[in-house]
Amino acid sequence: MSSQRATAFVPGHVTALFSAHPDDDPAVAGSRGAGVTLTDGVAVRVLAVDAGETAAGDGGSATSGTEAATADADAGVTTIDGEPGSIGAVDDVLAELGVAADVAVETDLPIGAGFGVSGAAALGTALAANDAFGRGRSENELVRIAHAAEVGRGTGLGDVVAQARGGIPIRLEPGAPGVGELDGVPATARVEYVTFGELSTERVLGGDTATLSAAGEDALDRLRADPRLPTLMNAARTFACEADLLVPEVAEAIAAVEAAGGEAAMAMLGRTAFALDTGLSDAGYDPEVCRVDAAGARLVDD
Amino acid sequence: MSSQRATAFVPGHVTALFSAHPDDDPAVAGSRGAGVTLTDGVAVRVLAVDAGETAAGDGGSATSGTEAATADADAGVTTIDGEPGSIGAVDDVLAELGVAADVAVETDLPIGAGFGVSGAAALGTALAANDAFGRGRSENELVRIAHAAEVGRGTGLGDVVAQARGGIPIRLEPGAPGVGELDGVPATARVEYVTFGELSTERVLGGDTATLSAAGEDALDRLRADPRLPTLMNAARTFACEADLLVPEVAEAIAAVEAAGGEAAMAMLGRTAFALDTGLSDAGYDPEVCRVDAAGARLVDD
């Protein structure tokens, strides 16, 4: 087994509008829609379990990673911001690549709030584990593995392919590389966001998605006819209303941004409002600030 | 007409191996193969001709842009590193978008040396002109326009789609988005390069490409079976020999890098050697230094 380590960065992704397209084959399942990838994202460090130290222990913030690794050395340890944790899609990616590794997931993004953290963790694990263990998979293969793991766990449908691409992805056809099809809105922007709490992706995607998907298809048609940022934000607001997903705090924030002359929408699926430029600041909020991430998921130097 | 300006950055792209796939339809024509996109690239600034100043004049480095604009205000002026110049594919992109603009192309890359500068100029013009004039095209549409312009002018077959993607692109199927198909080698690296002069893309692509393309298909098969950087470099060296494209200065540099324990190959089509990490430095050359560009072509702030 290799003693190497590797680290990947995967941007956060806020979905602005979508339709759900389930399928028994997780590489075929996915979503149509559009969203924005963010320079705020997820760093994933992978280290072989027999390489003499844990990936988490090296970051200095994990206190129990080493003991846990000793207790169950074969399986490896996953930490999330230094705390032992578990992400199903990460486990599935490691199993698919046939490796046992310690995985340290570090993010400033709120979890369960519509930023695609689980998809980012899965994709970052795929990229970093492939590199650390010299698995020799191509980028499309790694995206496919992460997408299938995320869909299989029911934690997302379109984040992984969007996060792999970067920019402002339009998901023309659902599914992994070789099945799905992507385009993009050619734009860059400062992005602000505020989060009011979690929303269960599994519960929404596990329920009746017919109304939601009809609204998503309409919104996507509008965007494809005019692939510009203001149209994306406008279509996203209409979608959130028609899909009956808007929650009061987010609705209030969006209205406040609009009243201040800005553009905001809801991040699907989270109690999160995001805005272009200084939209939320102008409306009196104290938002997190980042930008559109041009690059998408990538290996980075340790 | 809009008074806005916009600027795009497009990475340089060294093709390591390729096969040529001409077609009467320039969106279908292209190449299979693989290469490396570089953080050294091309900045393209576009400004509407009636916006009161020239794009070139604003950079402070163009001395004759303003007079030329006055002489032929309708057509706009193109400058290359501050000097009035002409790039056929840039003209064709502007015509396809139906705009008249001043275009300032700035690059540290050598021109005609295998870095895809013409493709980068075309793609950067498409992105920046679409933004400056509010044309509302999607990213795929803009890549298609730039690819068709580049192919139509005979100055390249695969640079534009690779430069749009970033990273280390594998061109699985030739052609523009919606026709071609891409994958990538999941890796990052420091890249060094030295250039010994120009090589005519038009002359090579305009000649008999049967031997070249057979060698390119073999090399691509090897890379697809093991999509890793050392395999890419090895397949590229074999390709350059079998395709009979290797020139003496480049062959000497590649041999020197190999003798010093490094990995190098020839940039197609230019009298250029590129190496991973510190390969050329270790072999006693004084190379330019950059990295793999993760992001691909993108709009940037002016």
Side-chain angles (χ1 to χ4, degrees):
Chain A
M1 195 179 284
S2 168
S3 66
Q4 277 188 286
R5 70 180 63 194
T7 304
F9 173 82
V10 183
H13 177 244
V14 287
T15 290
L17 53 97
F18 74 102
S19 55
H21 301 269
D23 193 281
D24 287 342
D25 180 347
V28 174
S31 58
R32 286 201 182 93
V36 179
T37 65
L38 305 176
T39 52
D40 281 2
V42 178
V44 181
R45 171 181 285 186
V46 167
L47 182 71
V49 287
D50 66 350
E53 55 177 326
T54 66
D58 199 63
S61 55
T63 52
S64 56
T66 308
E67 299 111 74
T70 307
D72 186 9
D74 287 340
V77 174
T78 296
T79 58
I80 302 165
D81 289 332
E83 299 293 324
S86 173
I87 301 174
V90 167
D91 298 340
D92 294 350
V93 166
L94 294 174
E96 178 67 27
L97 289 172
V99 301
D102 294 327
V103 178
V105 175
E106 303 273 347
T107 184
D108 292 330
L109 290 170
I111 294 173
F115 293 93
V117 171
S118 59
L123 181 55
T125 299
L127 283 165
N130 177 70
D131 195 62
F133 289 84
R135 288 325 240 182
R137 305 295 182 98
S138 75
E139 288 193 339
N140 286 358
E141 288 168 338
L142 296 170
V143 176
R144 196 173 303 133
I145 288 169
H147 173 83
E150 167 89 330
V151 168
R153 291 285 180 162
T155 46
L157 285 171
D159 285 326
V160 169
V161 296
Q163 288 164 327
R165 184 189 187 280
I168 303 170
I170 304 174
R171 306 191 300 284
L172 301 175
E173 297 297 339
V179 179
E181 199 182 328
L182 296 170
D183 197 350
V185 175
T188 184
R190 171 188 158 115
V191 178
E192 296 187 342
Y193 59 88
V194 290
T195 294
F196 306 100
E198 298 187 17
L199 204 65
S200 168
T201 299
E202 292 92 330
R203 204 172 55 213
V204 173
L205 296 184
D208 179 6
T209 56
T211 305
L212 178 162
S213 288
E217 295 282 358
D218 285 349
L220 182 59
D221 287 345
R222 282 184 57 200
L223 178 63
R224 294 187 67 174
D226 183 37
R228 285 186 265 207
L229 264 182
T231 304
L232 171 65
M233 300 301 278
N234 195 293
R237 288 192 294 270
T238 306
F239 167 74
C241 293
E242 291 183 355
D244 201 20
L245 289 168
L246 204 54
V247 295
E249 312 94 304
V250 175
E252 192 181 319
I254 292 172
V257 172
E258 283 197 277
E263 291 274 7
M266 176 173 165
M268 302 297 164
L269 293 162
R271 294 182 185 274
T272 295
F274 68 101
L276 303 181
D277 202 9
T278 55
L280 282 159
S281 300
D282 293 346
Y285 287 85
D286 182 25
E288 300 294 323
V289 178
C290 59
R291 289 195 61 84
V292 173
D293 180 70
R298 63 245 188 211
L299 290 165
V300 294
D301 290 331
D302 286 300
Chain B
M1 196 179 285
S2 167
S3 65
Q4 278 187 287
R5 71 180 62 193
T7 302
F9 174 82
V10 184
H13 177 246
V14 287
T15 291
L17 54 96
F18 74 102
S19 56
H21 300 269
D23 193 283
D24 287 343
D25 180 347
V28 173
S31 57
R32 284 201 183 93
V36 179
T37 65
L38 304 176
T39 51
D40 281 3
V42 178
V44 181
R45 172 181 287 188
V46 166
L47 182 72
V49 289
D50 66 351
E53 56 178 325
T54 67
D58 199 60
S61 56
T63 51
S64 56
T66 308
E67 298 111 72
T70 308
D72 186 10
D74 286 341
V77 174
T78 296
T79 60
I80 303 165
D81 290 332
E83 299 293 323
S86 173
I87 301 174
V90 167
D91 298 341
D92 293 351
V93 165
L94 294 174
E96 180 65 27
L97 289 173
V99 301
D102 294 326
V103 178
V105 176
E106 303 274 346
T107 184
D108 292 330
L109 290 170
I111 293 172
F115 292 93
V117 171
S118 59
L123 181 54
T125 300
L127 283 166
N130 177 70
D131 195 63
F133 290 85
R135 289 326 241 181
R137 305 294 182 98
S138 76
E139 288 192 340
N140 286 359
E141 288 170 337
L142 296 171
V143 176
R144 197 173 301 134
I145 287 169
H147 173 84
E150 168 88 331
V151 168
R153 292 284 180 162
T155 47
L157 285 170
D159 285 325
V160 169
V161 295
Q163 289 163 326
R165 185 187 186 284
I168 303 171
I170 304 174
R171 305 192 300 284
L172 301 176
E173 298 296 340
V179 179
E181 200 183 327
L182 296 170
D183 197 348
V185 175
T188 183
R190 170 188 158 117
V191 178
E192 297 187 341
Y193 60 88
V194 290
T195 294
F196 306 100
E198 298 186 17
L199 205 64
S200 168
T201 299
E202 292 92 330
R203 205 172 56 213
V204 174
L205 295 184
D208 179 6
T209 56
T211 305
L212 177 161
S213 288
E217 296 280 1
D218 286 348
L220 182 59
D221 287 344
R222 283 184 57 201
L223 178 64
R224 292 186 67 173
D226 182 37
R228 286 187 266 207
L229 264 183
T231 304
L232 171 66
M233 301 301 277
N234 196 293
R237 289 192 293 270
T238 306
F239 167 74
C241 293
E242 290 183 356
D244 200 21
L245 289 167
L246 205 54
V247 295
E249 313 95 304
V250 174
E252 193 180 320
I254 292 172
V257 171
E258 284 197 275
E263 292 275 7
M266 177 172 165
M268 303 297 165
L269 294 159
R271 293 181 185 275
T272 295
F274 69 100
L276 303 181
D277 202 8
T278 55
L280 283 159
S281 300
D282 292 346
Y285 287 85
D286 183 25
E288 301 294 324
V289 178
C290 59
R291 289 195 63 84
V292 173
D293 180 73
R298 61 240 187 218
L299 290 165
V300 294
D301 290 332
D302 287 300

